[in-house]
Amino acid sequence: MDLLSNALGVHEKALRVRNDRMEVLARNIANADTPHFKSRELDFKSVMQKVLPGETMASTHANHFSVDDPVADDDGMRFRVPFNASVDGNTVEISVEQAKYGKAAADYQATLSFLENRVGSIRKALRGD
């Protein structure tokens, strides 16, 4: 089974993290009218560093953002600071959440496509095509 895990690479774990992120965003959208609900976000980079502890992310250009800030007990959850304050204390901004959900769905689909291509390549190799 380890052979299959190695063949799928990081995409299998990334798909799980992307799914978790979409769940967090969906929860935010569902609670848009709940008083005092605080909008949350799942930081993909910190979760992937925890899921893949041996692999480090590196910048390829001097102008890229720093990647030297891993936190040992970080679960990746962050509270989002709203652009506009709400009277009832709710920090969900539905247009922002919907835009982030749309991007997250596209990222999920891209990762799923990578996995499908990888599985297709493994099938071809096993058939001898």
Side-chain angles (χ1 to χ4, degrees):
M1 202 61 181
D2 192 37
L3 178 65
L4 187 58
S5 296
N6 290 339
L8 297 178
V10 70
H11 301 296
E12 175 190 11
K13 293 175 179 89
L15 191 66
R16 285 189 207 137
V17 174
R18 290 193 190 286
N19 183 56
D20 292 345
R21 181 165 186 256
M22 288 178 61
E23 286 179 8
V24 169
L25 293 171
R27 195 173 308 124
N28 290 344
I29 292 170
N31 287 291
D33 294 326
T34 304
H36 304 291
F37 182 82
K38 305 300 180 206
S39 179
R40 299 186 80 184
E41 174 70 87
L42 185 68
D43 183 27
F44 184 78
K45 182 180 113 178
S46 65
V47 174
M48 287 305 291
Q49 283 179 343
K50 195 170 193 173
V51 170
L52 302 168
E55 299 182 29
T56 58
M57 298 172 72
S59 61
T60 57
H61 192 273
N63 292 336
H64 288 171
F65 292 109
S66 172
V67 294
D68 299 331
D69 59 343
V71 179
D73 295 331
D74 189 11
D75 66 351
M77 294 300 288
R78 308 276 187 271
F79 287 105
R80 186 170 302 130
V81 178
F83 293 111
N84 299 309
S86 169
V87 176
D88 65 356
N90 186 313
T91 63
V92 176
E93 295 174 307
I94 197 71
S95 59
V96 172
E97 298 297 333
Q98 288 174 334
K100 290 197 177 280
Y101 190 87
K103 183 176 180 332
D107 292 342
Y108 181 90
Q109 188 63 40
T111 303
L112 189 60
S113 294
F114 283 125
L115 270 174
E116 288 173 346
N117 289 339
R118 185 71 57 102
V119 168
S121 298
I122 292 171
R123 282 185 183 153
K124 285 181 182 179
L126 290 174
R127 283 192 303 242
D129 292 346

